[in-house]
Amino acid sequence: MKAKYSPFTSRLALLLAGAVLGALPLNAQEPWREGRNIAGLSLYDANTLEARVGGRFTSGEYRLPSEAAQLWQAGTNAQAESHFKDMLFVGAFSFEVQHAKDMMGSMFCYPGFYPIDVLEFTPGPKTRQTYNIGGGLAWTGSPHWAAGFNLDFKGINYSKRKDLRHTTYRQEMSFVPSVVYKGKGWNAGASFILEKNSEFIQAEQLGTATAATYYAFLDKGKRFGTYQIWDGSGIHLTDFGVDRLAVNQLSWGGALQASWGNRLYADAEFKFSYGEVGEKGYTWFRFPGVRFETKVLGYIPGNDGMHALRADAASALVENFESVIDRVSAGGVTTPVEYGSNRIYVQASTQTGVSYTYESHQGWDVSTSAQIVWTEDRGTHMYPYLAYDASTMLNLAVQGHLPLGPVTLEAGMSFREELAEDHEIVETDETNVGVVSYPVRLHDWWFVEEEYNDTRRLGVNLNIRYDFTIARRHRLFVEAGCSWWHIFEAFVLTGKDRQTTQLTLGYNF
């Protein structure tokens, strides 16, 4: 068994959450909504405006050490799509606040998003605010051409108010211009993708310390890294002339889309990325990466409904290089000098999946899906030691929707199983090299995260929606649901279960 951390892994978890439980979109006749091309929405004519407000409560001891035992979340969001004679507009806004007690661990907003992490070990309250605003437009005046763009921005404020305190700020931006050509019975499109995310951590200790010293851990991958006093030179939370740990990542690439009538849709996306940790000449890490993903959707009409088939594939590679930096003083001025870098971490990941959905003309649907995820990572944090891990995971799911008048029931089940694993630590690849030190590893955290990621898991979800109208014109709905996860064995985890309960009130304009 093993734990896995990388930008690809964290994003893949989000993809699987949607793909495994949802399997296929319900709007089976509108496959262009599955891609990035906003100009493809000109093929449809659906004016929508919906607003939601609600909250969630999560609890249970089946969790990572950086997660809260109890988490309260509340938020609101709105999204709209408007079609005019020659223009198309889309827009969305959301805000969410989270509060958790006795949290510790990662200081980043999304643990595992970057190939490094910083951990603190004092339980205390944490608060996170997330706001997202975005939209786009497309020109649809030509009978054969449509062009437009999407622009999105997300900001996160994440803070802890108990020593060791920290405040983390994160920003995400994306710009995707697109074009579509509409032929006779077929359509083709292309998109350019430009994305940027940045995050920085500011840590501090205020008042009388409740411990002799506060320590932190700089994780360089696979929970190998540096364990020191939080303001030590090896943690990089505070360095000479730099009072924060900053991370920046830029991604760019393109996507192609094509469809044949209402029967077949396919798209492919390729992205390069480049990230840095540090600023003001102190670039401690560089992590380039590449990602490719594709999907194909096919639809077969039946006498009483629609059959939909889907295949997905994604592959990614990320590397992390640690810089060798020294401070050189001349004329009373100290400047950083970089002598080189060492590759300390590599991860390659591949995911493939297939799914099937049947949508009845009577309004109900059922879907099933299967995914296989291969992950291979290699750590070379200290010569001549090598840590290698590989795993193969299987995800299965079934989901269904059933309308009963104003009430709609949605229920599903998911299952995860590890099919294979390979774990190896090579302490030396030579003899008599004279190395007597070992790379530092947080074994206690590693064992917990290893079991969390690889143990057999069963998930069940149930959601009930009630639609109603006020004064014969205001269309509202109420949703209540619960998701529950259970693992069958727990040797180092403190519990086997975790649940999320949610309640939402919505309004369709």
Side-chain angles (χ1 to χ4, degrees):
M1 295 189 300
K2 56 180 290 297
K4 298 165 274 292
Y5 308 95
S6 78
F8 174 72
T9 305
S10 58
R11 293 168 184 161
L12 181 61
L14 296 177
L15 290 174
L16 290 178
V20 172
L21 295 180
L24 278 171
L26 294 181
N27 52 335
Q29 296 303 300
E30 300 182 351
W32 280 81
R33 297 187 183 277
E34 291 292 292
R36 289 180 177 263
N37 196 319
I38 186 175
L41 300 183
S42 63
L43 301 172
Y44 316 125
D45 187 14
N47 293 310
T48 61
L49 177 56
E50 181 180 279
R52 290 171 174 245
V53 60
R56 297 193 300 272
F57 172 67
T58 302
S59 63
E61 290 302 316
Y62 168 59
R63 59 186 178 93
L64 292 168
S66 293
E67 293 181 324
Q70 293 185 348
L71 177 66
W72 295 90
Q73 301 166 274
T76 181
N77 67 79
Q79 54 187 3
E81 179 178 326
S82 299
H83 293 252
F84 298 94
K85 181 180 179 181
D86 295 329
M87 296 294 293
L88 159 69
F89 295 93
V90 297
F93 166 81
S94 66
F95 174 78
E96 183 182 69
V97 60
Q98 300 180 2
H99 178 74
K101 297 177 62 177
D102 298 329
M103 283 190 70
M104 60 179 179
S106 177
M107 296 183 178
F108 281 106
C109 295
Y110 299 128
F113 187 90
Y114 299 115
I116 70 155
D117 203 349
V118 182
L119 309 180
E120 50 83 21
F121 307 100
T122 306
K126 285 192 176 185
T127 302
R128 183 166 73 181
Q129 297 176 338
T130 303
Y131 47 94
N132 192 346
I133 185 170
L137 59 87
W139 175 72
T140 61
S142 170
H144 293 291
W145 291 94
F149 68 89
N150 276 72
L151 183 62
D152 295 284
F153 173 82
K154 176 187 286 188
I156 301 177
N157 301 326
Y158 188 36
S159 63
K160 183 174 186 176
R161 289 293 175 260
K162 181 179 180 181
D163 290 336
L164 176 64
R165 306 182 183 207
H166 73 85
T167 303
T168 305
Y169 300 95
R170 179 179 177 87
Q171 291 183 343
E172 300 177 14
M173 292 176 286
S174 67
F175 175 63
V176 184
S178 304
V179 63
V180 163
Y181 178 78
K182 307 172 188 178
K184 289 187 177 181
W186 60 275
N187 306 283
S191 303
F192 173 73
I193 302 169
L194 182 62
E195 299 175 334
K196 185 181 186 301
N197 60 77
S198 61
E199 192 164 349
F200 68 86
I201 303 170
Q202 290 183 311
E204 61 181 346
Q205 178 181 328
L206 299 177
T208 303
T210 57
T213 303
Y214 293 105
Y215 286 85
F217 182 77
L218 175 63
D219 175 32
K220 302 178 183 179
K222 301 167 66 64
R223 289 306 184 225
F224 287 102
T226 303
Y227 181 79
Q228 286 183 357
I229 298 174
W230 73 271
D231 55 357
S233 60
I235 303 298
H236 306 312
L237 285 174
T238 174
D239 279 296
F240 183 82
V242 182
D243 64 347
R244 63 182 190 176
L245 178 65
V247 186
N248 292 275
Q249 185 180 40
L250 179 67
S251 302
W252 64 96
L256 298 175
Q257 309 91 18
S259 65
W260 177 66
N262 293 323
R263 298 291 181 265
L264 187 65
Y265 170 85
D267 67 30
E269 179 177 309
F270 193 85
K271 286 195 305 182
F272 296 94
S273 64
Y274 179 77
E276 291 184 348
V277 179
E279 59 182 354
K280 298 183 180 179
Y282 295 93
T283 303
W284 302 110
F285 301 94
R286 294 181 174 88
F287 51 98
V290 62
R291 175 178 173 81
F292 172 79
E293 60 181 280
T294 184
K295 55 180 166 288
V296 178
L297 294 84
Y299 306 101
I300 304 173
N303 294 331
D304 300 318
M306 174 71 70
H307 304 271
L309 300 172
R310 174 172 177 161
D312 292 85
S315 183
L317 175 71
V318 61
E319 300 175 286
N320 191 19
F321 294 83
E322 184 175 18
S323 303
V324 180
I325 298 178
D326 192 13
R327 297 179 177 90
V328 178
S329 298
V333 178
T334 301
T335 57
V337 177
E338 183 175 338
Y339 296 106
S341 61
N342 300 309
R343 189 175 68 173
I344 62 172
Y345 182 70
V346 180
Q347 183 182 76
S349 304
T350 301
Q351 174 255 324
T352 61
V354 294
S355 55
Y356 164 79
T357 293
Y358 178 76
E359 297 184 13
S360 170
H361 294 323
Q362 299 177 354
W364 60 269
D365 68 84
V366 61
S367 59
T368 181
S369 63
Q371 280 92 15
I372 295 180
V373 181
W374 296 274
T375 304
E376 180 183 73
D377 48 2
R378 182 187 301 266
T380 52
H381 302 88
M382 178 184 294
Y383 178 82
Y385 303 105
L386 168 67
Y388 172 82
D389 282 283
S391 70
T392 303
M393 305 295 296
L394 172 66
N395 296 282
L396 302 173
V398 60
Q399 189 83 5
H401 297 77
L402 177 63
L404 299 172
V407 177
T408 302
L409 300 179
E410 178 182 356
M413 180 179 296
S414 63
F415 179 76
R416 185 187 69 184
E417 175 74 21
E418 185 179 50
L419 301 180
E421 65 175 353
D422 185 9
H423 174 71
E424 183 180 7
I425 295 181
V426 180
E427 294 186 353
T428 179
D429 56 1
E430 299 180 11
T431 59
N432 301 320
V433 294
V435 178
V436 295
S437 60
Y438 292 83
V440 177
R441 190 176 206 180
L442 286 182
H443 288 284
D444 292 343
W445 285 61
W446 172 255
F447 292 143
V448 172
E449 292 163 335
E450 181 180 13
E451 185 171 272
Y452 177 92
N453 283 309
D454 292 340
T455 189
R456 183 182 296 115
R457 184 178 72 187
L458 176 68
V460 177
N461 68 288
L462 175 65
N463 190 77
I464 302 175
R465 169 169 170 156
Y466 175 70
D467 292 271
F468 60 98
T469 303
I470 297 179
R472 297 184 179 181
R473 53 179 298 188
H474 302 291
R475 296 177 298 148
L476 294 93
F477 62 89
V478 176
E479 285 185 354
C482 182
S483 299
W484 170 73
W485 297 269
H486 174 77
I487 60 173
F488 296 89
E489 295 179 332
F491 299 102
V492 292
L493 287 166
T494 57
K496 297 183 178 181
D497 302 278
R498 192 164 179 84
Q499 68 83 32
T500 295
T501 303
Q502 62 89 16
L503 179 64
T504 302
L505 174 64
Y507 182 53
N508 291 309
F509 294 86

